Amino acid sequence: MRLSSFKTDVFAGISKRQVEFDKGLNVIIGPNEAGKSTLIEAIYATIFQEARLRMNLGVDKDFKARFMPYPTGEYINGILEFIIDGEKYKLKKEWGKEHSTVLELPDGQILKNSDRIKRKLKDLFVFGRASYGNIVFARQRDVKQAVERIIGNDDIVHTVSSFLRKAVMELDGISVEHLRSRLGEEIDNLVKRWDLNNDRPDNPNRDINNPYKVGYGEIYEAYINKVSIERKMKKALEMEEQLAGLSRELQALEEERQGLKTEIEQMAEIENDVVKRASLEPEIKRLKEKTGTLKRLNREWPVRADELVRKKEELNNLDKSLKELSREKSRAREKARLNESRSILEKINRLKKEMQEKYQERQEIKQITIEDIKEMESYQDIIKRNKAAMEAGTLLGVINSACDQVILTRGLAEQEEIEAGVEFKADGYLHLVIEGIVDVEIKSGEIDFDSLRREYQLAQSKFDKLLSNLGVESINEARRKREDYNRLTSELNNLNQQIKGLLDGRKYEDLQEEAGKLNEMEFVRDEGTVEKELDRVNKERSKLLAEIKSLEDRINSWQEEYGDVDKLFELMVSIGTELKAIKGQLTGLAELPDQYDTAEGFNSSLTRLRKKKEELDDRFTSKREELRDIMAAMPEESYEELLVSRQDYRKRFDRLQKKARDLIKIRAVLHRKLAEMDNNSFDPLVDLFSRYLSILTAGNYQIGDVNNNFQLKIVNEKNSSLPVDINLLSFGTYDGVALAFRLALLEQLFKDREGFIILDDCLVNLDPARKKEAVTLINKFAEKYQVIFTTCNPDTADSLGGRVIEFTA
């Protein structure tokens, strides 16, 4: 991978800038504050910074504060072109009120969906944001600070491998020993006296009933607090529920007692009158019921008699309707038969019309026989055969001298006039006449031209005459007309057969006559409608017969019991006199309440209410004593207050357990990764680091190890080791070490693939000798990878060479 170009309209302090990059070494030179660092940060942001800025994230807030023009800037953008395996990609990003991301692929496809683009960039920039940020785009000072932190730790004796491993981790701000120690302390403070796997105290017997007093961790403490408050909550809830239940019961009992008391008092006032009324009311009730029955019967009897007469008249009318419908049904069947005849007649008329059209169409076609076709084919064969024979003896010629008039007859064609110098061709026969000069006739020696010509002309004449007689222009047209004539004949025969089938032995005139009768039956309903009407009338008649029978039975029963309506009225008067006398005895007595039908019901209800009130009084006294006992035993805190505390304790307990599990996982991963790193995993990086340090010292030495003072032991070709003065190999500062380490790390990272690195001015603190070696190393590195070097020093740019990019404010 390498960068091809970068363009921005505005990004922080730079605007309207476009930079093109080449393979190998690119040197960006410009004064301080020209925006070189901002350019590099813009390239990094275009690749890795999300276009949609979320202001609840610190990194996004910081990005906006650093790079969005203040105070009126609405957006910033970046357009980066890069090349991977020879194919060009184009990435566009815009940040601000309107944000967008667009990725153009080498095949022309354009991606606009941010999730798809994110996945694609992850595939292209395989090492991720952190690796590119800490290695490819890292500032020199960040790498130097990592090296200084490791060398400043006097407790560690370094091999080159362990030094490099720690340097890689330091680039991400990780202090391994401090992290390992803090992890152990944090986990111990959390899980002491707690079994995290089984989610219980390490000793099951030391639960809430027998808790540890000292020596426990935060999880155990949170667990005891949680269980303790849950106990209090359970007790408080039980007592509050009991108190609320008893209060509701007492209120309901009191309301019921007062209601019963009022009702009993009201009923007691009329109790004696009700007892007297109880002896008279049953007879009154009986007489009232009898009177009611007789009154209803007196009203209903004449009505039912009139209804019986009316329904018998309706039955007579229905019988007349049935006879008329039966006659209409017969006429409907006849109408259906005539309709069918008319339908058949209409189909026949359509077929006759179609026959007439096809007959007329056939009349316009001359009948051509198969013999006519065969005769034409025989003439055509002769014409083709003779023409082919003559074409086999093709003659070529040209008139070379100018002549006044040249008359040419060739093959079977007519005479024509040609000019001198024009080449001509003839099939089998040539007759050339130059007036006053020559008259020559040439024939092919392989054919009898005269005989062929006569036979050809005769066949052609007969063929043309036959075409004219038949009224066609070609044999194909004759075939088509014969086929059309035969098709129309077949279709006429088929139509004729259809008409015969529809007539089915009847005469066409008879069908016409029957169809004419249909006009006389215009207002006759169809048979289905009449059938429905018949069914309806029959059902109505059956229903009417049942109603007449019911009325007759009811009137007969009344006559047997009462005789007639007059006798019924006399009985009503007698009962009314008796009822009036009994009601006179009730004068002055209290009325029975409306909700009671009888005095017995009133007395029974009053007895029941008095007994119920006694029971309620006993229950009310008992519940009131129980309420006093519960109120005395209530806890100081309510259930709602304890619930809020329980939620806090439970959240803390769950949070601490999750934290402990996460820290244990982190510790396991840390141990595994450190073991992997210590298992010779850094050998290739050690080799590269050694080689680059050797180049920077201009010597042919390999590095052996590093002591506490960062003095390097070197090994010569004879494998003898000797310490080297720190002034020779420490490069005076850590700049050389940092550069060698970073180049080695990058080459190990990219290995056999393309890659690029951004170097800010990492040579500024090197003395001339070291700077020269560093320039050599950077140029050597640029032969394989793309290097983008930023500097404000023209001498540094000159010494580096490569593509120089002027960058001014």
Side-chain angles (χ1 to χ4, degrees):
M1 171 187 293
R2 65 181 178 86
L3 306 184
S4 177
S5 70
F6 179 77
K7 179 181 179 181
T8 180
D9 296 329
V10 59
F11 193 96
I14 60 175
S15 61
K16 303 298 181 183
R17 292 297 182 94
Q18 181 168 351
V19 180
E20 304 288 337
F21 300 105
D22 282 348
K23 291 182 178 180
L25 180 59
N26 297 263
V27 180
I28 301 175
I29 181 170
N32 291 329
E33 306 304 326
K36 302 187 297 299
S37 298
T38 303
L39 171 69
I40 301 304
E41 288 172 323
I43 294 173
Y44 179 78
T46 302
I47 301 172
F48 296 110
Q49 176 63 46
E50 290 289 329
R52 177 173 173 263
L53 299 178
R54 292 167 291 182
M55 292 300 99
N56 60 335
L57 296 181
V59 64
D60 286 0
K61 289 172 66 176
D62 179 64
F63 176 82
K64 181 179 179 181
R66 290 179 62 202
F67 301 117
M68 189 72 71
Y70 182 82
T72 60
E74 294 186 355
Y75 81 101
I76 55 176
N77 75 324
I79 303 173
L80 177 67
E81 292 185 358
F82 54 93
I83 297 172
I84 300 177
D85 297 330
E87 294 186 323
K88 181 175 286 189
Y89 297 79
K90 190 172 186 178
L91 177 61
K92 305 176 184 178
K93 279 191 183 176
E94 181 174 319
W95 300 268
K97 293 181 180 179
E98 301 293 333
H99 57 83
S100 65
T101 304
V102 178
L103 177 62
E104 296 181 15
L105 304 181
D107 60 2
Q109 183 181 1
I110 297 178
L111 304 184
K112 294 185 178 181
N113 180 275
S114 59
D115 291 335
R116 289 187 63 192
I117 294 174
K118 189 184 299 183
R119 291 193 296 270
K120 186 65 179 176
L121 291 176
K122 188 175 181 181
D123 293 337
L124 297 175
F125 293 87
V126 294
F127 301 112
R129 177 173 183 165
S131 294
Y132 280 93
N134 293 327
I135 300 172
V136 177
F137 285 87
R139 294 175 178 270
Q140 179 73 357
R141 65 171 178 266
D142 296 331
V143 184
K144 288 167 56 181
Q145 288 171 1
V147 174
E148 290 171 3
R149 282 194 297 271
I150 297 167
I151 296 172
N153 190 338
D154 295 334
D155 296 333
I156 301 172
V157 177
H158 304 286
T159 64
V160 174
S161 178
S162 64
F163 162 73
L164 291 176
R165 185 253 291 170
K166 295 179 186 300
V168 171
M169 298 186 74
E170 283 288 344
L171 281 178
D172 279 332
I174 300 172
S175 175
V176 177
E177 300 304 325
H178 179 67
L179 177 61
R180 183 153 40 192
S181 174
R182 282 292 305 277
L183 276 173
E185 292 175 2
E186 190 70 20
I187 292 170
D188 189 54
N189 289 336
L190 287 168
V191 302
K192 191 181 297 183
R193 299 292 192 183
W194 184 256
D195 185 348
L196 196 60
N197 293 327
N198 294 309
D199 197 21
R200 61 173 176 76
D202 56 2
N203 183 349
N205 295 323
R206 303 307 295 268
D207 208 326
I208 185 66
N209 297 318
N210 183 28
Y212 290 112
K213 301 300 181 182
V214 293
Y216 49 80
E218 291 183 60
I219 295 177
Y220 180 84
E221 181 183 13
Y223 168 75
I224 294 298
N225 290 336
K226 177 177 74 75
V227 174
S228 176
I229 204 166
E230 285 172 351
R231 283 191 171 187
K232 292 180 181 179
M233 284 176 59
K234 183 178 179 182
K235 182 179 179 182
L237 182 61
E238 289 174 353
M239 297 189 72
E240 287 178 10
E241 287 176 349
Q242 288 180 8
L243 182 63
L246 280 172
S247 298
R248 289 191 297 269
E249 284 187 60
L250 281 168
Q251 183 178 356
L253 285 171
E254 179 61 21
E255 291 174 357
E256 191 173 0
R257 287 172 68 220
Q258 292 301 323
L260 279 174
K261 180 182 178 183
T262 301
E263 188 176 0
I264 290 170
E265 289 173 351
Q266 292 173 350
M267 292 177 71
E269 291 178 359
I270 62 172
E271 183 177 5
N272 292 331
D273 287 354
V274 170
V275 171
K276 293 177 183 179
R277 187 180 289 278
S279 61
L280 299 174
E281 281 187 341
E283 184 62 17
I284 292 174
K285 181 180 178 183
R286 184 186 68 80
L287 292 174
K288 283 183 177 180
E289 289 175 352
K290 184 65 175 178
T291 300
T293 300
L294 294 175
K295 285 181 179 179
R296 286 193 300 272
L297 185 56
N298 185 56
R299 291 191 302 269
E300 188 177 356
W301 196 329
V303 173
R304 297 306 178 194
D306 291 341
E307 186 179 357
L308 180 59
V309 172
R310 188 177 69 255
K311 287 190 178 294
K312 285 182 177 181
E313 290 176 357
E314 289 179 12
L315 180 62
N316 186 46
N317 292 333
L318 286 177
D319 289 339
K320 291 178 182 178
S321 296
L322 285 173
K323 290 178 182 179
E324 180 61 31
L325 286 169
S326 295
R327 287 193 296 271
E328 187 179 3
K329 181 178 179 181
S330 298
R331 296 186 69 200
R333 287 179 178 173
E334 177 64 14
K335 181 179 180 181
R337 188 183 68 79
L338 294 177
N339 264 325
E340 184 179 358
S341 296
R342 174 179 283 182
S343 177
I344 292 172
L345 182 64
E346 290 173 351
K347 290 180 181 177
I348 291 173
N349 287 339
R350 287 197 299 272
L351 293 172
K352 280 180 173 291
K353 182 180 179 182
E354 189 176 353
M355 282 185 67
Q356 182 63 33
E357 292 172 354
K358 292 189 179 296
Y359 181 77
Q360 183 65 35
E361 185 180 354
R362 193 180 69 172
Q363 285 293 97
E364 295 174 0
I365 301 174
K366 185 176 182 62
Q367 186 173 6
I368 300 174
T369 65
I370 188 62
E371 288 75 14
D372 294 332
I373 299 297
K374 290 181 178 179
E375 186 178 357
M376 281 190 287
E377 288 175 345
S378 66
Y379 292 148
Q380 194 176 54
D381 288 343
I382 293 171
I383 292 169
K384 289 180 179 179
R385 183 175 65 250
N386 289 358
K387 188 175 182 181
M390 288 185 290
E391 288 176 350
T394 301
L395 303 173
L396 299 174
V398 64
I399 305 299
N400 294 323
S401 301
C403 303
D404 292 336
Q405 185 181 32
V406 180
I407 305 300
L408 178 66
T409 303
R410 41 184 170 181
L412 302 174
E414 298 298 326
Q415 289 183 351
E416 59 179 306
E417 185 176 348
I418 66 171
E419 299 177 356
V422 176
E423 186 180 280
F424 55 84
K425 181 174 71 172
D427 295 332
Y429 175 79
L430 177 66
H431 185 198
L432 183 66
V433 177
I434 302 175
E435 186 175 0
I437 301 176
V438 67
D439 184 341
V440 62
E441 188 175 18
I442 303 172
K443 301 178 182 178
S444 173
E446 299 175 357
I447 59 175
D448 184 356
F449 179 77
D450 292 334
S451 175
L452 287 174
R453 185 174 185 179
R454 284 193 299 273
E455 186 178 9
Y456 173 85
Q457 290 175 340
L458 179 61
Q460 185 67 55
S461 175
K462 290 182 178 180
F463 182 74
D464 293 341
K465 183 178 181 181
L466 186 56
L467 287 175
S468 177
N469 291 338
L470 295 176
V472 297
E473 294 183 358
S474 68
I475 190 171
N476 288 334
E477 185 181 354
R479 289 191 183 101
R480 287 195 301 273
K481 285 193 173 185
R482 170 175 166 75
E483 291 172 359
D484 291 343
Y485 187 91
N486 290 341
R487 174 181 55 76
L488 290 168
T489 301
S490 174
E491 291 174 353
L492 285 167
N493 291 336
N494 182 46
L495 291 170
N496 191 46
Q497 289 299 319
Q498 291 183 52
I499 292 172
K500 286 182 179 181
L502 290 169
L503 287 170
D504 194 22
R506 292 172 291 182
K507 293 182 179 180
Y508 178 75
E509 293 76 10
D510 294 342
L511 279 176
Q512 286 181 312
E513 183 179 354
E514 287 187 351
K517 293 178 182 179
L518 194 59
N519 295 330
E520 301 172 3
M521 307 184 77
E522 180 179 359
F523 299 105
V524 177
R525 294 182 293 178
D526 63 88
E527 186 178 359
T529 303
V530 177
E531 282 283 1
K532 289 180 180 178
E533 185 69 13
L534 271 169
D535 184 58
R536 183 190 65 78
V537 172
N538 277 319
K539 288 179 179 178
E540 189 175 342
R541 186 177 185 277
S542 297
K543 180 182 178 183
L544 194 57
L545 285 171
E547 291 173 349
I548 289 171
K549 177 69 169 56
S550 176
L551 287 170
E552 288 176 341
D553 291 344
R554 186 181 299 181
I555 291 172
N556 289 336
S557 67
W558 293 340
Q559 288 174 344
E560 289 176 2
E561 185 173 356
Y562 302 107
D564 55 28
V565 176
D566 293 336
K567 291 180 180 179
L568 177 67
F569 183 74
E570 291 174 0
L571 182 60
M572 286 173 57
V573 173
S574 175
I575 293 173
T577 301
E578 184 180 358
L579 182 60
K580 186 177 180 181
I582 295 174
K583 284 183 175 180
Q585 299 178 38
L586 294 177
T587 303
L589 296 179
E591 293 289 335
L592 187 68
D594 294 338
Q595 64 266 35
Y596 298 104
D597 296 328
T598 63
E600 287 81 0
F602 176 88
N603 291 328
S604 176
S605 178
L606 181 57
T607 302
R608 187 176 65 253
L609 291 174
R610 285 169 172 162
K611 183 178 181 180
K612 185 176 181 180
K613 185 174 183 304
E614 292 176 1
E615 293 175 352
L616 286 175
D617 290 341
D618 293 340
R619 286 176 58 195
F620 184 82
T621 301
S622 175
K623 292 293 180 183
R624 189 167 53 188
E625 293 298 325
E626 190 176 346
L627 179 65
R628 290 196 189 102
D629 294 340
I630 291 176
M631 290 182 67
M634 284 292 292
E636 294 180 1
E637 293 180 284
S638 68
Y639 175 81
E640 285 74 14
E641 293 171 334
L642 292 169
L643 179 61
V644 173
S645 299
R646 193 276 300 270
Q647 289 174 344
D648 294 337
Y649 282 124
R650 179 176 287 178
K651 287 180 181 178
R652 174 172 172 75
F653 175 72
D654 293 340
R655 185 173 64 251
L656 291 174
Q657 283 211 110
K658 182 180 184 304
K659 180 179 179 181
R661 290 190 175 94
D662 291 344
L663 290 176
I664 289 171
K665 290 178 183 178
I666 292 170
R667 183 171 62 183
V669 171
L670 177 64
H671 290 170
R672 185 174 69 253
K673 291 299 181 182
L674 290 175
E676 292 172 359
M677 290 179 179
D678 289 337
N679 191 19
N680 298 323
S681 60
F682 277 78
D683 287 351
L685 186 59
V686 170
D687 294 340
L688 286 172
F689 182 55
S690 299
R691 180 153 48 89
Y692 287 153
L693 278 179
S694 179
I695 291 172
L696 289 171
T697 59
N700 296 318
Y701 294 98
Q702 298 296 318
I703 298 175
D705 59 16
V706 186
N707 67 13
N708 286 11
N709 295 319
F710 201 62
Q711 291 178 325
L712 306 176
K713 293 182 179 180
I714 62 174
V715 181
N716 60 19
E717 294 178 352
K718 296 181 180 181
N719 202 30
S720 60
S721 62
L722 64 158
V724 178
D725 190 292
I726 193 169
N727 292 322
L728 295 178
L729 290 184
S730 68
F731 314 111
T733 67
Y734 298 108
D735 277 310
V737 176
L739 177 61
F741 163 60
R742 191 173 172 203
L743 294 180
L745 188 60
L746 185 77
E747 185 168 347
Q748 180 65 20
L749 188 69
F750 287 112
K751 292 185 179 177
D752 297 328
R753 67 180 74 198
E754 286 184 310
F756 68 94
I757 187 170
I758 311 293
L759 297 175
D760 58 353
D761 200 344
C762 58
L763 309 180
V764 65
N765 293 320
L766 299 183
D767 59 36
R770 298 185 190 120
K771 184 174 181 179
K772 180 179 179 181
E773 296 300 334
V775 168
T776 300
L777 179 59
I778 291 172
N779 275 275
K780 185 69 176 176
F781 190 80
E783 293 176 4
K784 187 174 182 181
Y785 303 103
Q786 184 183 48
V787 177
I788 298 173
F789 193 102
T790 65
T791 182
C792 59
N793 190 333
D795 293 336
T796 299
D798 291 342
S799 63
L800 283 168
R803 171 183 170 82
V804 177
I805 301 169
E806 298 286 345
F807 202 85
T808 58

